[in-house]
Amino acid sequence: MSTPPTAPTPPASPSPAEERPPKSFVQQVLGQWPLASVLIGVALGLGVVALSHWRAGSTLIGLSITVGGLLRLMPQQRVGLLAVRNRTLDSIVLLGVGIGIVVLAWWIPPSR
């Protein structure tokens, strides 16, 4: 018993990801701007703390982390390495820690 001839199948169309050329190293680095902006803000805050302005530096650190929590609400393809777990958990943790640092920085009474 012979099998009937089958018509050749057309080649599968490439997916949109396969149509794009690979990103260069510079494009990959610039694609991490959400994480870079948070890290730069924290580094600046640590620099301010090192200059003996702990309240302003701690506020800058807390605000940077809070901005990271807001940036985490962006689509998964845009946040890059800022995404660790799922969007809800990442946002809650970053917003909670950032707001907590700002509140603690302003709650402590100034030394006289």
Side-chain angles (χ1 to χ4, degrees), residues 26-43:
V26 173
Q27 289 173 324
Q28 289 176 356
V29 170
L30 292 177
Q32 300 303 326
W33 69 266
L35 178 62
S37 64
V38 172
L39 291 177
I40 289 170
V42 169

Side-chain angles (χ1 to χ4, degrees), residues 18-77:
E18 293 175 13
E19 292 176 4
R20 292 186 216 152
K23 291 182 177 181
S24 68
F25 178 75
V26 173
Q27 289 173 324
Q28 289 176 356
V29 170
L30 292 177
Q32 300 303 326
W33 69 266
L35 178 62
S37 64
V38 172
L39 291 177
I40 289 170
V42 169
L44 289 173
L46 289 172
V48 172
V49 169
L51 295 173
S52 299
H53 300 288
W54 66 269
R55 189 180 307 264
S58 297
T59 302
L60 184 56
I61 291 169
L63 290 176
S64 297
I65 295 172
T66 302
V67 168
L70 295 174
L71 288 174
R72 181 58 183 100
L73 295 173
M74 293 185 343
Q76 182 76 22
Q77 295 81 14

